[in-house]
Amino acid sequence: MTKKTAHSKEAAKAPANPSRLEKLAEAAQTYGNRSFHNYSQIRNVAETLRDEFCLFLDEDRICVFLVPPTGPFAAVNAGSAAFSVSGKGFLPLEPISFGLAVAITKFGDYMRLVITCRKEGGKMYISAGKGREHTLNLPINDIEMGALIEGLYEHLMDYFQDGVDSYDNGDYGNTDIGFDILRMGA
């Protein structure tokens, strides 16, 4: 009898102990489940934020789109490509960024606002560029979402007002806070 055959008979009698590979596969499966949950929670926040921010700005037209956080963008919803984990294969368990293309004129000018979200327990921590961090309890409630939207609006307004103030006071170098502006049709 070969060693392999003896081992097979012994394995059939004794309760199976998972191999290291099986333990590793189980750990990877748990990680994958958590990373998908993280992504789906953040995507839900992103889509809600896009829709509610658009309504806040103008109830009569679509003026906010989910776009990639880096690289070229257009004023169209980019679906899963709007998220920093897009195209990474095995979905990483990490904070996720996405872009919001926000209309800033009636003539097709859009500004990309980069948002980063991280989930900790029942809370979502959201930051916009170098702006302050906002906290949302999950599931999302209207009061906290309203405060987040107000904060994002103020963040955008501050960008323009700070630039104007700096220019008017003769010091308008290096006040950029990292926005990309796109003129549609240009």
Side-chain angles (χ1 to χ4, degrees):
M1 176 168 10
T2 67
K3 189 173 186 179
K4 196 171 198 174
T5 306
H7 181 69
S8 297
K9 287 181 182 179
E10 194 175 294
K13 294 179 193 176
N17 289 328
S19 71
R20 287 184 181 95
L21 177 58
E22 290 169 326
K23 289 178 183 178
L24 183 59
E26 185 177 322
Q29 179 67 38
T30 301
Y31 179 97
N33 291 341
R34 297 301 190 287
S35 62
F36 181 75
H37 183 261
N38 182 57
Y39 170 75
S40 63
Q41 291 285 312
I42 291 171
R43 185 166 181 158
N44 180 52
V45 167
E47 290 172 346
T48 302
L49 181 57
R50 172 200 60 203
D51 297 345
E52 294 297 320
F53 197 29
C54 185
L55 284 172
F56 175 83
L57 293 173
D58 190 335
E59 293 183 9
D60 296 328
R61 70 182 191 125
I62 297 174
C63 55
V64 179
F65 299 92
L66 275 173
V67 299
T70 60
F73 74 97
V76 295
N77 287 314
S80 60
F83 299 89
S84 60
V85 295
S86 177
K88 289 194 174 183
F90 196 80
L91 191 60
L93 186 51
E94 63 188 24
I96 297 174
S97 297
F98 58 89
L100 292 176
V102 180
I104 55 172
T105 68
K106 296 177 184 179
F107 311 108
D109 297 312
Y110 285 81
M111 177 179 277
R112 175 171 39 202
L113 181 59
V114 176
I115 309 287
T116 301
C117 297
R118 77 177 193 286
K119 183 181 175 300
E120 292 181 14
K123 296 185 183 292
M124 186 74 63
Y125 296 92
I126 301 165
S127 60
K130 297 176 185 174
R132 72 176 255 263
E133 187 172 74
H134 297 270
T135 304
L136 293 179
N137 287 299
L138 299 173
I140 302 168
N141 70 62
D142 292 340
I143 293 170
E144 291 172 347
M145 181 57 74
L148 172 60
I149 289 168
E150 285 281 349
L152 293 178
Y153 179 71
E154 289 173 18
H155 185 62
L156 292 172
M157 289 294 290
D158 287 348
Y159 171 76
F160 292 109
Q161 191 58 52
D162 288 350
V164 169
D165 290 346
S166 294
Y167 177 78
D168 288 350
N169 292 312
D171 179 26
Y172 60 99
N174 295 333
T175 60
D176 188 17
I177 56 175
F179 292 115
D180 295 320
I181 298 178
L182 167 75
R183 172 157 285 160
M184 297 304 293

